[in-house]
Amino acid sequence: MHPRRETRAREQLTRLTGDVGGPNCDDDDCPNVYRTKSGSFVIQGDVSDAFSPPEGEGLVEIPERVLREAARALGW
């Protein structure tokens, strides 16, 4: 069962990485972690071909440092 999907503008998400004390990506093309208003996460990263996910899902690969930065931003 998939959660309801809706299209969101990037401006509606809280960016947890890249501009929160970590390395900046001026052109927004680097891996990042975003939080939605409902508390879920949106991950921006390189597309991975580790395996074929079910229809409607995708895989991205992001560096460990980006996840650590997101955890710090959330106070975890």
Side-chain angles (χ1 to χ4, degrees), residues 58-75:
L59 303 174
V60 296
E61 186 172 339
I62 62 171
E64 180 180 335
R65 69 173 171 72
V66 174
L67 291 178
R68 289 182 181 278
E69 186 180 347
R72 277 194 302 276
L74 291 167

Side-chain angles (χ1 to χ4, degrees), residues 9-56:
R10 189 180 297 196
E11 296 78 29
Q12 294 176 314
L13 304 171
T14 301
R15 185 173 175 173
L16 300 175
T17 58
D19 61 354
V20 186
N24 283 327
C25 294
D26 295 328
D27 53 7
D28 284 332
D29 69 350
C30 60
N32 280 297
V33 177
Y34 299 86
R35 192 163 199 184
T36 68
K37 289 182 181 180
S38 67
S40 63
F41 297 92
V42 175
I43 309 298
Q44 174 186 355
D46 295 327
V47 176
S48 174
D49 61 0
F51 65 89
S52 296
E55 186 175 333

